[in-house]
Amino acid sequence: TESAAILAETSTAFSAITARVPAGASNAIAAISTSPDPGSFALLSMNDGAGPAAEFGINNAANASNVVGINTNGTGAGLSLYHNGSGAASHGAYLQTGGTTEGSTVFAVQQGTGRAGQFQITNPANNSAALRGYTDGTSNAGYFTIANAANNTAAVFATTNGIGGSAIYGQNTAAGNSIAGIFENTDPANTYPAVQAASEGAGSVGVRVLQNPSSDAGGMDVIIQNPSTAAPGLDINHMGTGSGVVVNAN
């Protein structure tokens, strides 16, 4: 620092450098680097003390601008964060929204052909979830929507190559009567089932109901709630040479 072009130092409660623009479209501080060296920063902020390295704020309630704007036409990331600390509360990024705002704490928009968001763990010994949604409120912990009627892909697609693991696992830990999973078709003209299962393996192709050995409940309930329907409670269509239904009672 002793070889810097400008050295400002203070031991008071005031800033070593104060820049102010009372009017106009000028910048209070402009930092520009024209060096071709990738190690040359236009602005470098370092704190060897106990406070933050930088803080940006808007103190005008009528200001609709962003606190920080980042723009690049290069091939690198618009923002890169790296955290080398330790501890459960030592986050790579911590974002918080307060007050009466109804906006999202994180809002990502992708105008190109890539993903709007990706979360990835590269440590094979990491037993944490790559993404977790947690809420103390009254709405969903996660909500996914496809707003394109021509899109026939799944709103949520889960895959795993872990042996013995499930692609989707739902668990209800409530103390009262609750359901671990609900699937519903809301279009009265929809003739497709709410749930469809397929398997390319040699095991059970459809659905297996596995009862807890300590439970006295039945294996499956089929409830028809429309008193005027003539549809069967159970419809089995077998195109092979085996039995349509096999019942074993041990």
Side-chain angles (χ1 to χ4, degrees), residues 10-242:
T10 181
S11 59
T12 68
F14 300 97
S15 302
I17 297 177
T18 299
R20 184 189 301 273
V21 176
S26 301
N27 300 312
I29 296 178
I32 300 174
S33 175
T34 59
S35 172
D37 193 326
S40 175
F41 300 96
L43 178 63
L44 175 62
S45 177
M46 181 75 66
N47 190 337
D48 291 329
E55 182 168 336
F56 302 88
I58 291 178
N59 195 27
N60 180 3
N63 189 338
S65 300
N66 299 322
V67 176
V68 177
I70 299 175
N71 192 328
T72 178
N73 62 359
T75 58
L79 178 63
S80 177
L81 303 175
Y82 179 77
H83 193 288
N84 198 27
S86 60
S90 184
H91 307 292
Y94 181 81
L95 306 175
Q96 182 174 348
T97 301
T100 59
T101 179
E102 296 181 359
S104 301
T105 302
V106 178
F107 189 92
V109 177
Q110 167 62 267
Q111 296 179 334
T113 58
R115 300 178 180 89
Q118 178 166 327
F119 301 86
Q120 184 174 354
I121 292 176
T122 59
N123 181 3
N126 190 333
N127 61 358
S128 299
L131 175 64
R132 181 186 182 187
Y134 186 96
T135 177
D136 287 325
T138 59
S139 190
N140 309 98
Y143 192 97
F144 302 88
T145 301
I146 291 178
N148 181 1
N151 186 344
N152 62 357
T153 59
V156 177
F157 182 83
T159 178
T160 178
N161 64 357
I163 299 176
S166 301
I168 297 178
Y169 182 87
Q171 185 180 56
N172 191 318
T173 61
N177 292 331
S178 300
I179 298 174
I182 296 178
F183 299 87
E184 181 180 5
N185 281 333
T186 60
D187 183 4
N190 190 342
T191 59
Y192 279 28
V195 178
Q196 178 171 315
S199 174
E200 296 182 4
S204 299
V205 177
V207 178
R208 170 180 290 177
V209 179
L210 185 63
Q211 183 202 43
N212 191 309
S214 63
S215 174
D216 293 330
M220 178 182 293
D221 290 337
V222 178
I223 302 174
I224 304 297
Q225 300 186 82
N226 184 357
S228 62
T229 183
L234 182 63
D235 188 358
I236 299 176
N237 187 353
H238 195 308
M239 298 182 180
T241 59

